[in-house]
């Protein structure tokens, strides 16, 4: 692992994307104590409080195809879920890319990919709420400190999480897709539970049943299975 740490960067994913185009190695990690222009999934903004949370990106170079990246994404979520269980046993993935701890969002993931010379370059951007305590403007969010009443060393969390990724990497490398997907479904937030959703501006009841090979969420509504892309439906919790 090659860890490069900055006091401040606009965006760790963008910085590492440029390095990847200059032939940076797998397991290059860019960490920023303050990220001023963080991005979330599908163009959302990711705001963090300076010095209180973990924002970093790392690079993996694989022979994965674009079609196989659904399993790559699931493996990333699974590994973070597994790591966070040490802080609270109720650790889940909220489709498609949020990590929920004790029913509160503590982590977001943004994966950006480009293919060059038959090699997939994947930039994995991760933001974890560590020591922030004020979430009045974000009632669904929390942090490790709020959940456990403990202050954490952010750089120790980063090192431990990256060690976890390296330990679990054999699953990704060996393309154990069935295991990856089964684990992802076991981690899926509110799977097989009656939940409330907002669909076309209307609240409806439904049950999350699956995530299909296209990465779409499969929900049972009125005894019919329907699939949805990101932002076509919103889980209310």
């Amino acid at each position: 692992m090659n860890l490069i740490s900055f006091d401040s960067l606009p965006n760790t994913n963008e910085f590492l994307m440029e390095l990847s185009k200059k032939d940076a190695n797998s397991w290059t990690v860019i960490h920023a104590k303050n990220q001023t222009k963080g991005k979330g999934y599908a163009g959302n903004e990711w705001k963090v409080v300076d010095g209180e949370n973990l924002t970093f990106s790392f690079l993996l170079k694989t022979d994965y195809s674009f079609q196989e990246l659904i399993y790559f994404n699931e493996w990333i979520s699974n590994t973070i879920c597994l790591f966070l269980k040490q802080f609270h046993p109720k650790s889940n993935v909220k489709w498609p890319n949020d990590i929920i701890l004790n029913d509160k969002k503590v982590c977001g993931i943004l994966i950006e990919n480009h293919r060059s010379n038959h090699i997939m370059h994947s930039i994995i951007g991760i933001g974890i709420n560590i020591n922030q305590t004020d979430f009045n403007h974000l009632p669904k969010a929390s942090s490790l400190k709020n959940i456990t009443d403990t202050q954490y060393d952010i750089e120790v969390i980063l090192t431990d999480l990256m060690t976890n990724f390296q330990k679990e990497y054999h699953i990704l490398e060996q393309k154990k897709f069935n295991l990856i997907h089964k684990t992802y479904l076991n981690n899926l937030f509110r799977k097989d539970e009656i939940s409330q959703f907002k669909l076309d501006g209307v609240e409806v009841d439904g049950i999350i049943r699956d995530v299909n090979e296209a990465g779409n969420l499969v929900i049972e509504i009125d005894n019919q299975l329907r699939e949805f892309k990101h932002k076509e439906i919103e889980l209310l919790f």
Side-chain angles (χ1 to χ4, degrees):
M1 181 176 77
N2 177 24
L3 171 59
I4 307 168
S5 194
F6 295 87
D7 286 333
S8 182
L9 273 181
N11 186 281
T12 57
N13 262 34
E14 289 177 2
F15 188 92
L16 187 51
M17 180 67 76
E18 291 306 309
L19 285 187
S20 77
K21 292 174 182 176
K22 298 173 184 174
D23 210 28
N25 293 322
S26 278
W27 304 107
T28 298
V29 183
I30 302 298
H31 167 230
K33 295 175 184 175
N34 180 35
Q35 182 174 243
T36 57
K37 294 182 180 177
K39 294 187 297 183
Y41 187 77
N44 294 330
E45 189 176 7
W46 178 268
K47 292 185 178 179
V48 295
V49 176
D50 185 5
E52 294 188 356
N53 300 312
L54 174 58
T55 51
F56 74 101
S57 302
F58 71 99
L59 170 65
L60 285 179
K61 295 157 84 168
T62 66
D63 64 352
Y64 271 52
S65 67
F66 281 104
Q67 291 75 21
E68 292 169 331
L69 286 177
I70 176 65
Y71 301 107
F72 185 101
N73 297 353
E74 289 182 350
W75 175 80
I76 294 289
S77 295
N78 291 343
T79 305
I80 298 173
C81 250
L82 177 64
F83 175 77
L84 290 177
K85 285 186 190 296
Q86 66 185 290
F87 303 101
H88 193 281
K90 193 174 183 186
S91 174
N92 300 101
V93 183
K94 177 179 167 288
W95 178 88
N97 68 322
D98 291 336
I99 306 298
I100 305 290
L101 197 63
N102 195 27
D103 295 331
K104 296 283 189 178
K105 177 180 175 178
V106 298
C107 174
I109 305 162
L110 176 65
I111 303 173
E112 297 178 294
N113 308 283
H114 71 94
R115 195 168 175 84
S116 176
N117 296 325
H118 308 292
I119 297 172
M120 186 68 74
H121 297 67
S122 296
I123 314 295
I124 302 101
I126 297 171
I128 303 178
N129 299 330
I130 306 289
N131 292 322
Q132 183 176 340
T133 55
D134 180 7
F135 292 95
N136 287 338
H137 59 301
L138 295 168
K140 296 178 185 177
S142 191
S143 66
L144 298 189
K145 183 175 182 179
N146 276 1
I147 290 168
T148 65
D149 198 27
T150 303
Q151 181 88 8
Y152 292 95
D153 184 320
I154 293 171
E155 294 188 17
V156 169
I157 298 278
L158 170 58
T159 302
D160 289 350
L161 177 54
M162 287 309 303
T163 299
N164 226 58
F165 275 118
Q166 290 176 314
K167 190 171 76 174
E168 297 293 314
Y169 183 67
H170 66 99
I171 296 171
L172 186 77
E173 191 173 36
Q174 295 169 20
K175 298 190 175 184
K176 296 182 177 180
F177 295 153
N178 287 338
L179 173 61
I180 290 171
H181 190 61
K182 181 180 178 182
T183 305
Y184 182 84
L185 292 180
N186 286 340
N187 288 329
L188 195 58
F189 185 58
R190 299 201 62 83
K191 182 177 182 290
D192 298 327
E193 299 177 28
I194 297 174
S195 302
Q196 283 71 50
F197 300 87
K198 184 174 281 188
L199 177 62
D200 299 328
V202 178
E203 290 189 17
V204 298
D205 287 343
I207 304 172
I208 294 173
R209 293 301 192 192
D210 198 3
V211 174
N212 64 21
E213 288 187 356
N216 297 333
L217 189 66
V218 179
I219 304 175
E220 181 182 330
I221 299 174
D222 295 330
N223 297 314
Q224 287 189 318
L225 291 178
R226 299 175 59 181
E227 67 173 85
F228 298 92
K229 296 186 174 81
H230 183 54
K231 292 197 171 180
E232 289 183 344
I233 194 165
E234 178 187 359
L235 172 63
L236 305 175
F237 70 102

